[in-house]
């Protein structure tokens, strides 16, 4: 996202507490005069001068957001309040990276923006699901009460280079396991379905949404409508990695959605956007990134020693 905004001619202030991100991901930008890095947590107020705000803050994988569920909720709720307050003071556009998790384990398929969802408010995933739902509420209340210029994107599973090798999400898990020759772990029997969008396509959609007229608020589903089972994804990654990894099944997590696929008719109509990079091409690029990463001894040793 930072690279894209700079290439479009913007000056960028990147704010990160590096809980899930890594400094190496933005190292190529550190010497760019249009880039500034602030190590900061959005649960605390932020005082900067900007024209637009992209609020992407919050760990997105179950491993990370369940590690400290109270902090996860604070990041979504307190973070939204702080960023909305900043946008109000500056009269700036603010975009919220919401999530397909607001739909929970959906009873409607594919999911459209007018579907209110099927969410467990007290389960182990609730810190993320309900935190993001509350953030959407805050954004629309600021829009109604203060006429703030808001954009809300509901992001479906995104993947690509620079994911953390210990990210805990299915694409990075499977690729690392396949490259190391470790068993690939399915939770349940792998019949759950997901839709995976390559990161370049997602960044393009967010930039397009941010550039829409003031009366376009969202929420807008952003994702790739191509649906695949988790078991099929595992077999595809094994093939692309030329791996001999076996597939093993573990216990399915609580409230894990059975199916997930976005209806992107709104994004097509409003943003003139549709994903361009198919799953095979995107996985091939992502596998190449992790293959290079695993060539580093320290990274490889940490993953080989990881019991998961």
């Amino acid at each position: 996202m930072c690279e894209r905004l700079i290439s479009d001619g913007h000056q960028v202030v990147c704010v990160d507490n590096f809980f899930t991100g890594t400094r190496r991901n933005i190292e190529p930008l550190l010497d760019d005069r249009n880039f500034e890095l602030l190590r900061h947590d959005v649960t605390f107020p932020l005082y900067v001068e900007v024209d637009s705000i992209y609020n992407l803050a919050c760990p997105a994988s179950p491993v990370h957001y369940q590690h400290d569920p109270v902090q996860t909720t604070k990041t979504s709720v307190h973070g939204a309040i702080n960023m909305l307050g900043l946008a109000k003071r500056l009269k700036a556009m603010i975009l919220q990276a919401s999530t397909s998790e607001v739909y929970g384990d959906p009873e409607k398929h594919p999911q459209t923006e007018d579907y209110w969802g099927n969410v467990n408010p007290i389960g182990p995933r609730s810190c993320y699901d309900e935190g993001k739902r509350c953030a959407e509420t805050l954004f629309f209340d600021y829009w109604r009460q203060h006429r703030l210029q808001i954009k809300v994107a509901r992001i479906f599973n995104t993947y690509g280079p620079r994911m953390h090798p210990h990210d805990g999400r299915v694409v990075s898990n499977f690729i690392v396991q396949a490259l190391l020759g470790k068993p690939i772990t399915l939770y349940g029997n792998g019949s759950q379905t997901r839709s995976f969008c390559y990161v370049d396509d997602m960044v393009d959609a967010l930039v397009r949404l941010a550039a829409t007229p003031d009366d376009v608020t969202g929420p807008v589903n952003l994702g790739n409508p191509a649906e695949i089972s988790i078991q099929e994804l595992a077999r595809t990654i094994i093939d692309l990695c030329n791996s001999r990894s076996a597939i093993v099944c573990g216990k399915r997590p609580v409230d894990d959605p059975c199916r997930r696929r976005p209806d992107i008719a709104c994004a097509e109509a409003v943003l003139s956007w549709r994903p361009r990079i198919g799953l095979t091409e995107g996985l091939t690029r992502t596998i190449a990134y992790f293959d290079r990463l695993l060539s580093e001894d320290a990274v490889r040793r940490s993953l080989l020693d990881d019991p998961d």
Side-chain angles (χ1 to χ4, degrees):
M1 174 62 77
C2 293
E3 287 179 352
R4 168 63 185 269
L5 292 172
I6 289 172
S7 70
D8 287 348
H10 299 286
Q11 293 180 319
V12 174
V13 179
C14 173
V15 178
D16 201 336
N17 68 355
F18 295 112
F19 175 61
T20 59
T22 60
R23 187 180 176 87
R24 68 184 295 161
N25 285 344
I26 46 88
E27 276 181 352
L29 299 175
L30 293 177
D31 293 329
D32 193 307
R33 61 192 180 93
N34 291 317
F35 180 80
E36 181 180 354
L37 173 65
L38 293 178
R39 188 160 191 152
H40 180 82
D41 190 315
V42 296
T43 60
F44 299 96
L46 178 66
Y47 301 100
V48 292
E49 301 296 323
V50 294
D51 301 312
S52 301
I53 301 167
Y54 290 77
N55 183 32
L56 310 179
C58 196
S61 75
V63 168
H64 288 134
Y65 68 62
Q66 292 176 13
H67 172 72
D68 188 345
V70 172
Q71 185 63 27
T72 296
T73 303
K74 285 182 177 180
T75 301
S76 288
V77 179
H78 291 187
I81 291 170
N82 287 330
M83 294 303 101
L84 286 162
L86 178 63
K88 179 187 173 188
R89 179 175 69 82
L90 299 174
K91 296 181 172 57
M93 183 283 301
I94 180 166
L95 183 148
Q96 166 70 0
S98 190
T99 172
S100 59
E101 296 294 336
V102 301
Y103 298 121
D105 188 5
E107 296 173 340
K108 179 177 181 178
H109 191 80
Q111 291 79 60
T112 55
E113 290 88 349
D114 60 357
Y115 176 53
W116 291 354
N118 177 38
V119 178
N120 177 3
I122 59 170
R125 300 170 67 102
S126 304
C127 57
Y128 185 68
D129 301 359
E130 295 287 31
K132 289 288 190 176
R133 285 164 69 94
C134 184
E136 286 197 15
T137 299
L138 286 164
F139 266 70
F140 278 91
D141 282 340
Y142 266 77
W143 172 67
R144 282 184 286 262
Q145 187 171 337
H146 301 296
R147 305 312 301 169
L148 199 62
Q149 185 186 356
I150 67 163
K151 314 287 179 184
V152 175
R154 288 179 178 165
I155 297 175
F156 285 66
N157 295 65
T158 306
Y159 72 99
R162 303 186 205 175
M163 295 180 79
H164 197 287
H166 290 288
D167 179 83
R169 280 178 282 192
V170 64
V171 170
S172 53
N173 272 2
F174 286 2
I175 290 176
V176 169
Q177 289 167 341
L179 288 173
L180 294 177
K182 298 172 73 172
I184 288 183
T185 307
L186 302 184
Y187 296 108
N189 61 11
S191 62
Q192 312 96 301
T193 67
R194 297 292 186 270
S195 303
F196 297 97
C197 186
Y198 190 68
V199 61
D200 288 8
D201 283 328
M202 183 58 63
V203 167
D204 184 52
L206 292 171
V207 170
R208 287 172 182 249
L209 178 58
T212 54
D214 291 1
D215 61 347
V216 176
T217 60
V220 178
N221 286 340
L222 299 179
N224 194 321
E227 187 176 3
I228 185 174
S229 74
I230 299 302
Q231 185 173 102
E232 186 180 353
L233 174 70
R235 297 191 185 283
T236 299
I237 289 174
I238 288 172
D239 290 343
L240 291 174
C241 291
N242 294 314
S243 174
R244 295 185 178 180
S245 292
I247 294 177
V248 298
C249 294
K251 185 177 179 181
R252 186 173 171 185
V254 175
D255 297 329
D256 185 42
C258 293
R259 302 184 73 186
R260 184 66 61 70
R261 175 162 68 93
D263 183 313
I264 62 168
C266 180
E268 290 177 312
V270 175
L271 309 180
S272 299
W273 175 86
R274 187 174 181 85
R276 298 179 296 104
I277 299 171
L279 184 62
T280 299
E281 180 182 354
L283 287 175
T284 300
R285 296 184 189 183
T286 309
I287 289 166
Y289 166 77
F290 277 108
D291 199 27
R292 290 192 301 272
L293 190 66
L294 293 177
S295 67
E296 301 177 17
D297 288 342
V299 174
R300 191 175 185 88
R301 282 198 303 271
S302 73
L303 290 164
L304 283 169
D305 293 341
D306 183 4
D308 295 328

